[in-house]
Amino acid sequence: MEADIARVYTEAGLGWYRPRFSAYVRLLAARGPHSIRELATAVGVTHSAASQTVAQMRRDGLVTLEPGADARQRIVRLTPRAEELLPFLDAEWQATATAATALEAELPYPLGTLLTALEAALERKPLRARIAETWPGAPGPTG
């Protein structure tokens, strides 16, 4: 599904834009500047993942980074380039949500419910732990 969304961007002349950027752009557009940690929490990813995505977005001219309250904190702000993309990104987001709803209607189970249940099950016991239960000789995290 992400590859199809990326294709929409490519066909619109935005082949450099990554679908994962949209959650960050939309959040920053709606709520203003955030620290990387706040973005990570709001988007539901690790600080490391948010930091890597923000770094790519900075290289692509979508955000700037400013010093925060302390030396470790960086505040992320949208650039005019990102703001110019908002009408297209909002239209794509709405079209994708509508398409996902139509897709879900074709499935035997509600996709949202299934993903929520999957996430909860993996929180209770990560896949790595499940692998170890079925393969006692499995290499550990470092080996």
Side-chain angles (χ1 to χ4, degrees):
M1 288 176 19
E2 186 172 329
D4 282 340
I5 295 169
R7 195 168 307 129
V8 169
Y9 294 125
T10 298
E11 291 169 358
L14 301 172
W16 54 271
Y17 188 89
R18 301 291 167 253
R20 72 177 177 274
F21 295 170
S22 290
Y24 297 83
V25 171
R26 290 175 54 80
L27 179 72
L28 292 168
R31 299 185 192 165
H34 276 59
S35 71
I36 293 175
R37 184 163 309 285
E38 291 168 335
L39 284 172
T41 299
V43 173
V45 297
T46 65
H47 182 274
S48 177
S51 183
Q52 290 173 18
T53 298
V54 166
Q56 171 104 41
M57 292 173 70
R58 183 177 182 213
R59 284 191 298 273
D60 289 336
L62 296 172
V63 297
T64 59
L65 294 173
E66 303 167 357
D70 66 48
R72 296 171 297 167
Q73 189 181 52
R74 306 294 278 169
I75 303 299
V76 183
R77 181 182 308 274
L78 290 181
T79 64
R81 182 182 195 194
E83 291 171 352
E84 289 173 10
L85 294 174
L86 287 174
F88 175 83
L89 297 176
D90 287 342
E92 177 276 320
W93 190 271
Q94 184 58 49
T96 299
T98 300
T101 299
L103 173 63
E104 186 172 73
E106 295 180 37
L107 301 177
Y109 310 104
L111 185 58
T113 302
L114 180 61
L115 292 176
T116 300
L118 175 63
E119 185 177 63
L122 291 173
E123 291 240 350
R124 286 190 301 276
K125 186 184 301 184
L127 186 60
R128 176 67 185 95
R130 294 167 190 270
I131 292 169
E133 286 178 356
T134 61
W135 183 18
T142 59

